[in-house]
Amino acid sequence: MKALLKGAAAAAAASVFATASADVVADFSQVEQTWGVEVSPDGSKVAFGCVMGERRAICVSGLDAPTTTIMPPSDGADINEFYWINNQHVFVSASFVERETMSSGVEDIRFTRGISFDTDSGKSTLLMRNVARTMSNTGYISSILTEDDDHVLMGGYKVNVKSGNARVYGKYSGYTSAPILDAAGRELVRVKFRERKGDFEVRDPDNRLIFERSDAPLQPFFVVAGSADGASVIIRGDGSDPEIGRGIHRMSLDTGEISTIVVDGADMTGAAPITDRHTGAVVGYWYRRHVSYQMFVDEELAARQAMISESLGDAVVHLTSWSKDRSRITVAASRPGEPTTYYLFETDPLALGLLGEAYPALAGKTFGQVEYVEYPARDGLEIPGYLTLPPGKSRQDGPFPLLLLPHGGPDAYDTAAYDWWSQAYAAAGYAVLQPNFRGSAGYGAAFREAGFGEFGGKMITDTIDGAAWLEAEGVAAPGGACIVGSSYGGYAALMAPLHDAGRIRCAISVSGVTDPIAQMGRYATYGGSRSEIISYWEQYMGDLYASEEAQSEITPAERVSEYTVPVLLMHGDEDTRVPYAQAERFRGLAEGRPWFSFVRMRGEDHFLFTQSARKTMLSESLAFLSEHHPAR
C-alpha cells in the first residue's frame, strides 16, 4: 500500500512538473517581437525588428500616415542589425550559412551581407552585388553619405543603394585599411598596418603622420569614431599594446597624443561610444553598472533623456535613435530582470507614446528577483555575479535547488538585465547563479587578466565555488547543483563535473566547446597565427596547450571516461561559431554510456534566435533536470 501511495505521489508530482514545465517553455521560448527601434532622419517613419514565422523581419510604419511595409526574412538568413540610410532606405545586415570546400575540407561558412530595403516599394536589394561573392563580410557601411541619397560607402567601394552595384572609391597605398569617415563621407584618418613587419601608422587626409608603432605583433588599436568638435578621434585598444591598453581613449588629430576620456569625473575607458548617425560624431557613452546605462555629453540629448526618465519612474532609459532635428526620439526602457518596452518621444506637442514591447505575451508577468552578489573563490578572489530567485520568492523562502549558469565568451559578462534563460529556470523553481568568473570583462584589467592561463582551471572552479557559497548562505539546497551553459559556458558545464563531481550533480552543454585545441586550430586556419582571435585564445589558455598532457587536461572530449554524472549535450548543426563537429566528436566518444544524452538541433545556429530552438533547448533541459535535479 505504501509503495502504491509512493508511486501515485511520484506520478502526481511528475504530472504537476510536466504542466509547469510546459508553461515555462511556452512563456520563455518566445523570441523578441519588437527590437532595435529606429526613427527615420526626417521623423516620418519608424523601423523596428519584428517576427514572421520563425525568423526575424523588418517592419516599417508611418508615424504621420497609416502605412506599413515589411521586409520578410529570406530563407536561411538571419538579420543582425539595421538602421536608416536616408528617409527611404534602411540598411540591413544579414548573415547566412553556405557549405564551402576549404583547404581543411567541406565546412559550413557564415557570410554576412548588406541589403538596402526600400521602405516605399518594399523592394530589397543586395549591396555590392557585383563584387560581394569574393568577400565573406559585406555587412557594414563606412559612411551613409548624408548628402547623397543614392549611395553609401562600404570599405573602399561606393555603392548604389537602388541597384546594389559597387565601384572602387578612392585610391590608397598598399596596406591601407578603409579610411575612417564621418557620416557625410569626409575622411577623418587613414590607418596602415603592415602585419608581417608590425609597422602601424595613422595619418590624416593630407597624409601627415599622426601616430606610429614599429614591431607591433597586432594592430595596437582601432579608430571607431570622430569627436563632435573634429579635433580628435575615439580609439579602441584590445590590450595588445601595453602602453595603450584595453578600452576606449581619445587621440588628438593634431599631436597624436592619446588620453583618457573623462566625463563628469568618471573614467570612460571601459565604456563604449554612442554616435549620432546623422554626423558620425560621438555624443555620449554606454557604461555598465549592473545594467547598461547611457551618459550623453550632448547637452540636448542629455536633457531629453532626463525628461523621459522622469516620466518613466525607476526604468532605465536608453535613447535608441532620433530624427535629424531631434523632434522625435525612440526610447527603450526596462527594469532589472524585466523585458524592454519601446516608446516614441515627441517634442511638438510634448508626448511619450507606446511603440511596442519586446515580449508582449509576458506583459504583467511576475519575474524572478535579480540580486547582485559577491562571493569568495577558493583562493580568496572576490567573484561578482547575479542571483535570480523564483518569482515572488526571497532568500527567506529557500533553500532552492541551484543551477549554475556561466556566460559565454569568455571575455564577456552577465548583468541584471532580462535574460530568458535565467528567468525560465527561475520560473521552473530554481535559484540561478550567473557568475562573472575571473577572466570576465567589465571589472577592470586586473580581474580579466586573472583569467589568463585559467581557461579550464580557476575560471571553472570560480563557478563551482559560487555553489558552495550559496549552500552555506542557505540559498542553495544541500546535495549539489547542476550547471548549464552555452558556448564557453557550455565548455564550463562540461569541465565542472571533472573538477568536482561531488558538488556538480549534472551538466547541460549547449553549443559548447568540447575540444578547445581543435577550435583554436580552426581559428589559425582562417585568421593566421598572428590574428587577433589567436592572441585572444592564447591569453586565456596560457601554456595549457604547451604539451599533450596539458591539452588533454582542458579538453572534455579527451576525458570522456572520467564522467560520473549525467551530461546533456545540445548543438545546432548549422553553428559556425562553435562548429557542430565539436559536438560530434564528444558524441562519438560518449554515445552509449548511461550518463550521456544528446540532442541535435537541426537547422539551428549558435545563438538560438528562433522560437523552435529555444523551445527545444528549454523542453529538453527541463526534462533532463526533472530527472536528475528536480525543482521542488
Side-chain angles (χ1 to χ4, degrees):
M1 184 66 174
K2 287 183 179 179
L4 287 173
L5 289 174
K6 185 177 180 180
S15 176
V16 169
F17 174 82
T19 301
S21 176
D23 291 342
V24 169
V25 172
D27 284 342
F28 293 99
S29 64
Q30 299 174 55
V31 295
E32 289 178 290
Q33 301 299 301
T34 302
W35 52 280
V37 178
E38 295 261 340
V39 69
S40 62
D42 65 1
S44 66
K45 302 172 185 175
V46 64
F48 55 96
C50 54
V51 177
M52 292 184 67
E54 281 282 297
R55 296 284 181 180
R56 288 178 160 192
I58 306 296
C59 295
V60 179
S61 294
L63 294 175
D64 301 316
T67 61
T68 299
T69 313
I70 299 175
M71 175 184 158
S74 301
D75 290 342
D78 293 316
I79 294 173
N80 304 317
E81 65 169 338
F82 62 90
Y83 49 86
W84 291 91
I85 298 171
N86 52 47
N87 294 319
Q88 184 177 343
H89 296 90
V90 170
F91 172 77
V92 181
S93 171
S95 57
F96 60 95
V97 175
E98 282 193 1
R99 185 150 291 180
E100 299 283 340
T101 301
M102 313 295 290
S103 59
S104 56
V106 177
E107 290 202 33
D108 288 335
I109 305 297
R110 182 165 293 273
F111 292 88
T112 303
R113 294 288 180 255
I115 298 167
S116 171
F117 175 51
D118 188 328
T119 63
D120 290 342
S121 69
K123 179 184 176 183
S124 297
T125 302
L126 179 67
L127 298 176
M128 297 184 69
R129 60 192 307 167
N130 56 323
V131 295
R133 184 61 190 170
T134 62
M135 306 176 187
S136 63
N137 184 0
T138 59
Y140 67 96
I141 285 180
S142 306
S143 174
I144 61 173
L145 297 180
T146 53
E147 298 170 7
D148 181 351
D149 282 348
D150 293 332
H151 298 90
V152 294
L153 296 182
M154 302 175 70
Y157 294 87
K158 190 170 188 177
V159 187
N160 189 295
V161 299
K162 297 176 182 177
S163 70
N165 289 327
R167 59 180 176 83
V168 175
Y169 179 81
K171 294 182 179 179
Y172 304 98
S173 59
Y175 305 100
T176 301
S177 66
I180 311 303
L181 311 168
D182 68 10
R186 290 181 287 267
E187 185 176 338
L188 301 175
V189 294
R190 60 185 64 171
V191 176
K192 293 184 178 182
F193 182 49
R194 296 173 175 86
E195 187 174 348
R196 291 186 177 181
K197 293 184 176 181
D199 293 338
F200 176 77
E201 297 178 351
V202 179
R203 294 180 176 270
D204 70 10
D206 296 324
N207 209 35
R208 181 179 64 88
L209 182 66
I210 300 172
F211 181 93
E212 66 178 336
R213 275 280 191 275
S214 298
D215 300 321
L218 294 169
Q219 186 164 325
F221 60 77
F222 299 85
V223 180
V224 294
S227 63
D229 61 8
S232 61
V233 290
I234 307 302
I235 65 171
R236 175 182 59 81
D238 63 2
S240 61
D241 188 309
E243 292 185 30
I244 296 168
R246 184 177 170 83
I248 62 169
H249 310 274
R250 178 180 286 110
M251 185 176 75
S252 167
L253 293 177
D254 180 34
T255 65
E257 180 184 2
I258 295 174
S259 58
T260 301
I261 301 169
V262 178
V263 180
D264 293 339
D267 186 332
M268 293 289 112
T269 301
I274 302 169
T275 57
D276 187 329
R277 291 205 192 278
H278 310 297
T279 64
V282 172
V283 291
Y285 299 91
W286 290 97
Y287 69 97
R288 182 183 66 84
R289 191 172 60 231
H290 303 314
V291 294
S292 293
Y293 292 88
Q294 291 176 321
M295 177 184 290
F296 284 98
V297 293
D298 183 288
E299 293 182 359
E300 183 180 21
L301 291 173
R304 295 279 192 263
Q305 184 190 41
M307 185 184 299
I308 297 165
S309 295
E310 186 176 351
S311 299
L312 294 176
D314 61 349
V316 177
V317 169
H318 298 158
L319 309 187
T320 64
S321 71
W322 44 88
S323 58
K324 194 170 184 179
D325 65 4
R326 299 181 177 178
S327 63
R328 282 177 166 164
I329 297 174
T330 54
V331 177
S334 62
R335 293 170 178 82
E338 298 183 12
T340 301
T341 301
Y342 296 93
Y343 298 90
L344 178 69
F345 174 77
E346 300 180 87
T347 61
D348 187 20
L350 202 62
L352 183 67
L354 178 68
L355 283 175
E357 296 172 284
Y359 297 93
L362 298 180
K365 191 173 186 66
T366 300
F367 296 94
Q369 173 187 334
V370 182
E371 174 191 351
Y372 175 73
V373 297
E374 291 182 353
Y375 61 88
R378 59 192 65 184
D379 63 359
L381 183 67
E382 285 293 308
I383 305 300
Y386 293 89
L387 173 67
T388 303
L389 298 180
K393 302 295 184 181
S394 67
R395 286 190 177 210
Q396 287 67 40
D397 297 306
F400 306 95
L402 176 66
L403 293 184
L404 301 171
L405 184 59
H407 60 72
D411 183 17
Y413 55 84
D414 278 322
T415 70
Y418 175 77
D419 176 75
W420 62 271
W421 286 52
S422 58
Q423 288 293 341
Y425 291 131
Y430 296 93
V432 182
L433 176 66
Q434 295 172 274
N436 285 323
F437 44 81
R438 74 189 69 201
S440 299
Y443 295 92
F447 187 82
R448 177 176 177 268
E449 290 168 9
F452 290 178
E454 298 293 344
F455 191 84
K458 291 180 180 179
M459 289 167 65
I460 310 300
T461 58
D462 286 350
T463 297
I464 299 170
D465 292 342
W469 176 74
L470 285 172
E471 186 174 324
E473 289 281 303
V475 176
C482 282
I483 182 168
V484 185
S486 176
S487 199
Y488 177 82
Y491 169 79
L494 292 174
M495 287 297 297
L498 297 174
H499 279 276
D500 192 341
R503 190 164 301 277
I504 301 300
R505 297 183 60 180
C506 61
I508 301 171
S509 173
V510 182
S511 308
V513 174
T514 71
D515 185 340
I517 308 305
Q519 182 78 354
M520 192 171 179
R522 181 173 181 269
Y523 290 138
T525 298
Y526 297 119
S529 60
R530 287 169 59 94
S531 69
E532 208 178 344
I533 187 66
I534 290 296
S535 174
Y536 168 88
W537 275 63
E538 285 180 338
Q539 285 178 326
Y540 278 101
M541 294 174 70
D543 59 4
L544 294 175
Y545 66 98
S547 68
E548 290 187 7
E549 182 180 358
Q551 291 177 12
S552 296
E553 186 71 19
I554 63 169
T555 302
E558 294 285 341
R559 302 178 64 183
V560 165
S561 63
E562 299 177 43
Y563 284 92
T564 58
V565 304
V567 173
L568 171 61
L569 191 67
M570 290 188 275
H571 213 112
D573 60 10
E574 289 192 3
D575 190 338
T576 56
R577 178 67 62 88
V578 178
Y580 183 67
Q582 287 272 329
E584 281 286 274
R585 176 158 189 243
F586 193 97
R587 178 191 184 184
L589 296 166
E591 198 157 39
R593 298 175 188 252
W595 50 262
F596 180 68
S597 303
F598 179 73
V599 176
R600 176 178 183 170
M601 295 188 288
R602 296 186 181 277
E604 299 297 344
D605 66 6
H606 191 70
F607 301 101
L608 308 184
F609 276 144
T610 67
Q611 184 167 354
S612 60
R614 296 184 181 189
K615 187 176 293 185
T616 297
M617 194 282 290
L618 287 177
S619 59
E620 294 286 351
S621 63
L622 287 170
F624 178 84
L625 289 169
S626 73
E627 181 179 355
H628 302 293
H629 188 49
R632 65 182 193 189

